[in-house]
Amino acid sequence: MTSTKLFDLTGNVAVITGGNGGIGRSIAIGLAQAGASVAIFGRNDAKNKATLSELKEIGVPAMALKIDITKRTELAPAIKKVEQELGSISILVNNAGIAVLSGGILNETEEEWDGLIEVQLNAVFLLSKLVAKSMVENKRGKIINIGSMYSFFGSSFAPSYSTAKGAVIQLTKSMAIELAPYNIQVNAIAPGWFVTDMTAAVQTMPLNDEIIMRTPAGRWGKPEELVGAAVFLASKASDFVTGETIRVDGGYAIR
Ligand code: NDP
């Protein structure tokens, strides 16, 4: 196989949660450009439609599902719909997320905690479980979970966020062990600081200067800079890589 073919995703069907904006949109477009059929999951209809038309322009089969992934009973029908329209899912990117900047456990409410854990952790488990069933039958699959720098560090500022992101890495490793015999690789990407709607508030805080000072690259990342890692982990190029977390952070975590 030639080295370019190693990254060719033709014949794959990818689901990207939160694929209508920020990091998820860039990954959805990147996987489509590599040849995959793509389904994006998101709550906002206008954002879904805008990204869907970008995907269709690339020329791959694509669909957008209006779904709140914290509504557990809606997950299985959504997966079924993708499989009926696009075929068996071979790539799942668990990307959708929210942030709760509560300032610490003394301030954070039970509702905030539960809401964050539901989207950032429980949905990762539930969707992976649903999709893994057909991946096991097909004896191939790629699950890519989006972690964070807070997968490695604690945060007094966003305790539920760092808890969920830490757990996502452990879940990645556990699923990787369980699913490896079925030729399913489960990996994670840990982005540093990326310019998206989620981080818009941070970009105007004093924390912005600290981030730039600490990041050896001296700047924030652009969502499209995550595409390389995502295509690698979705492709044959990573068939012997599993349980791994790839940092894409301009060096933030090395000091
Ligand atoms: P955005 O806020 O730009 O995008 C979040 C996405 O998640 C949107 O597409 C949103 O869709 C979707 N989403 C949120 N909640 C739900 C839900 N309940 N059901 C369905 N979709 C949902 O954030 P980012 O692109 O920055 O974040 C993407 C991922 O990357 C998150 O997991 C985040 O934690 C992680 N991350 C981000 C970093 C950064 O610096 N930006 C750094 C490290 C990790 P909709 O608007 O339609 O609800």
Side-chain angles (χ1 to χ4, degrees), residues 20 23 43-44 47 68-69 95 120 161 165 192 194 196:
N20 67 15
I23 289 171
R43 295 170 297 184
N44 182 308
K47 283 164 64 185
D68 179 341
I69 61 165
N95 162 81
Q120 290 272 21
Y161 186 86
K165 290 302 196 186
F194 281 74
T196 66

Side-chain angles (χ1 to χ4, degrees), residues 128-129 131-133 135-136 139-143 171-186 242:
S128 300
K129 184 179 166 75
V131 169
K133 280 186 185 152
M135 288 178 172
V136 164
K139 293 259 186 313
R140 77 181 188 108
K142 303 277 186 179
I143 299 176
L171 178 58
T172 299
K173 293 180 199 167
S174 300
M175 292 197 295
I177 296 166
E178 179 183 350
L179 299 173
Y182 305 100
N183 188 31
I184 299 165
Q185 291 79 46
V186 187
T242 201

Side-chain angles (χ1 to χ4, degrees), residues 17-25 41-45 47-48 67-71 94-99 119-120 146-149 161 165 189-199 220 223:
T17 67
N20 67 15
I23 289 171
R25 173 187 157 275
F41 287 5
R43 295 170 297 184
N44 182 308
D45 224 9
K47 283 164 64 185
N48 281 350
I67 178 174
D68 179 341
I69 61 165
T70 66
K71 300 210 164 120
N94 286 305
N95 162 81
I98 55 169
V119 63
Q120 290 272 21
I146 304 301
S148 161
M149 290 297 101
Y161 186 86
K165 290 302 196 186
I189 298 173
W193 292 90
F194 281 74
V195 177
T196 66
D197 289 352
M198 181 182 283
T199 54
W220 286 65

Side-chain angles (χ1 to χ4, degrees), residues 77-194:
I79 294 298
K80 198 169 172 197
K81 202 162 176 204
V82 176
E83 303 217 307
Q84 279 165 350
E85 268 188 48
L86 299 180
S88 234
I89 297 162
S90 50
I91 301 164
L92 170 66
V93 184
N94 286 305
N95 162 81
I98 55 169
V100 173
L101 308 182
S102 63
I105 60 153
L106 298 178
N107 285 330
E108 189 153 321
T109 65
E110 282 180 41
E111 290 74 23
E112 285 174 325
W113 176 275
D114 286 344
L116 189 132
I117 298 294
E118 192 62 24
V119 63
Q120 290 272 21
L121 180 60
N122 294 341
V124 176
F125 158 65
L126 292 166
L127 282 165
S128 300
K129 184 179 166 75
L130 280 168
V131 169
K133 280 186 185 152
S134 58
M135 288 178 172
V136 164
E137 277 168 29
N138 297 332
K139 293 259 186 313
R140 77 181 188 108
K142 303 277 186 179
I143 299 176
I144 303 168
N145 298 323
I146 304 301
S148 161
M149 290 297 101
Y150 291 115
S151 297
F152 315 116
F153 309 130
S155 170
S156 57
F157 192 55
S160 51
Y161 186 86
S162 67
T163 300
K165 290 302 196 186
V168 156
I169 301 305
Q170 290 302 97
L171 178 58
T172 299
K173 293 180 199 167
S174 300
M175 292 197 295
I177 296 166
E178 179 183 350
L179 299 173
Y182 305 100
N183 188 31
I184 299 165
Q185 291 79 46
V186 187
N187 291 289
I189 298 173
W193 292 90
F194 281 74

